[in-house]
Amino acid sequence: QSALTQPPSASGSPGQSVTISCTGTSSDVGTYNFVSWYQQHPGKAPKLMIYEVSKRPSGVPDRFSGSKSGNTASLTVSGLQAEDETDYYCSSYAGSNNLVFGGGTKLTVL
Amino acid sequence: EVQLLESEGGLVQPGGSLRLSCAASGFTFSSYAMNWVRQAPGKGLEWVSGIRISGSRTYYADSVKGRFTISRDDSKSTLYLQVSSLRVDDTAVYYCARALVGATLHAFDMWGPGTMVTVST
């Protein structure tokens, strides 16, 4: 199963919004509403930010939102803050009891 | 405290074996599906294996199928991953991760700090 495609990097200024894309295929993102997004600071475990395309776990700021169109899912971070600068990964259920991750995007707050 | 804690990994020679464990505390372990996810140095996340509640079904990535075995002991609130026939490209930090209630594979809401497994001569 091929990994999902994410841009290696993204950036935005404090207070602005930035969107990170996650492109899969009709076998994963396009078929299943089981897309998740994780935030990972260096040397730390990932943290779930979005699940089932657009749902936020308790405690995740509403500045983080998710959406999907066709084979591409997106994570939008609004009102960028310095602490948002880190790595983000998407994942999608891919059928046949398989899960695939994206390659990761490094978000820089300018 | 609600947490997951993996056992210490280590240095293993190619072809060798190791058993990783993940001790859960602060929640009803038996009520959740569990998974292992790994991350090679400087690389992205890779799902490795999952196990349903009560261990009724197990799932593996193609890259580890036939070499790794996931299991759980609900009486000890512990998840295991037996890794065998290790290859250099199995070198990674291995995380145990709890699936959301009602899910098995698609979203992980709690992660351990990870344990490093290095496969090298």
Side-chain angles (χ1 to χ4, degrees), chain B:
Chain B
E1 183 184 0
V2 179
Q3 68 174 4
L4 297 169
L5 186 60
E6 298 92 347
S7 58
E8 194 170 325
L11 174 63
V12 185
Q13 290 190 335
S17 300
L18 190 64
R19 188 175 82 157
L20 305 178
S21 61
C22 170
S25 59
F27 65 97
T28 305
F29 178 75
S30 59
S31 296
Y32 292 85
M34 298 295 296
N35 288 261
W36 290 94
V37 176
R38 69 184 179 183
Q39 186 170 34
K43 302 297 184 182
L45 301 170
E46 180 189 15
W47 173 75
V48 172
S49 181
I51 186 167
R52 281 195 180 183
I53 292 172
S54 76
S56 57
R57 291 284 302 273
T58 58
Y59 310 102
Y60 300 94
D62 288 343
S63 59
V64 306
K65 204 169 291 184
R67 301 188 300 122
F68 290 12
T69 302
I70 190 172
S71 62
R72 63 190 298 161
D73 185 338
D74 289 346
S75 69
K76 297 181 179 179
S77 296
T78 301
L79 176 72
Y80 301 99
L81 186 68
Q82 177 71 41
V83 297
S84 306
S85 303
L86 282 165
R87 309 187 298 224
V88 172
D89 63 0
D90 292 319
T91 295
V93 173
Y94 284 73
Y95 296 100
C96 67
R98 186 182 79 174
L100 283 175
V101 172
T104 298
L105 293 183
H106 73 265
F108 309 141
D109 66 346
M110 182 185 298
W111 297 64
T115 187
M116 184 71 204
V117 173
T118 302
V119 184
S120 175
T121 56

Side-chain angles (χ1 to χ4, degrees), chain A residues 1 33-36 38 40 43-48 50-52 57 89 91-93 96-104, chain B residues 35 37 39 42-47 52 57-62 65 95 100 103 105-114:
Chain A
Q1 190 70 36
N33 288 323
F34 292 138
V35 175
S36 298
Y38 298 89
Q40 186 181 34
K44 300 296 185 182
K47 175 186 176 182
L48 180 66
I50 296 288
Y51 67 98
E52 293 175 8
Y89 293 89
S91 71
S92 174
Y93 181 67
S96 301
N97 302 309
N98 198 12
L99 181 75
V100 290
F101 280 92
Chain B
N35 288 261
V37 176
Q39 186 170 34
K43 302 297 184 182
L45 301 170
E46 180 189 15
W47 173 75
R52 281 195 180 183
R57 291 284 302 273
T58 58
Y59 310 102
Y60 300 94
D62 288 343
K65 204 169 291 184
Y95 296 100
L100 283 175
L105 293 183
H106 73 265
F108 309 141
D109 66 346
M110 182 185 298
W111 297 64

